Amino acid sequence: MSGESVYANKIVEQAWQQATDSAAMDSDAMGRAIIQAVVERYLKYRTIDDIGQELDYLVESMDDDEPVVTRGC
């Protein structure tokens, strides 16, 4: 697993745990908020079609044991 994946998983786990521990938060809403934040960041420099292709690729790769993280290669 790449360093980026390890770091991202750590951040997501912390956010999910905070949502689980807080009566004012919901885990599913936290997941949507994380996805939305990433998509909004992508929109600063990527097209909607490009983001859609990225999301399709990620969904298709979910069957893999370890998703591939590319670095623009």
Side-chain angles (χ1 to χ4, degrees):
M1 186 177 284
S2 72
E4 294 89 348
S5 293
V6 171
Y7 184 68
N9 282 324
K10 180 180 176 182
I11 292 169
V12 169
E13 180 58 37
Q14 289 171 349
W16 222 281
Q17 190 62 52
Q18 185 172 353
T20 301
D21 293 345
S22 173
M25 293 185 180
D26 175 75
S27 294
D28 286 341
M30 179 62 76
R32 284 189 299 275
I34 291 167
I35 294 167
Q36 182 67 34
V38 170
V39 170
E40 287 175 359
R41 177 63 63 158
Y42 274 164
L43 282 171
K44 293 177 187 254
Y45 61 95
R46 296 175 77 169
T47 66
I48 290 174
D49 288 340
D50 185 41
I51 295 167
Q53 289 175 2
E54 178 77 18
L55 293 173
D56 287 342
Y57 169 78
L58 291 172
V59 168
E60 290 172 10
S61 70
M62 289 290 115
D63 288 337
D64 295 345
D65 289 339
E66 191 169 314
V68 176
V69 175
T70 61
R71 292 182 176 84
C73 300

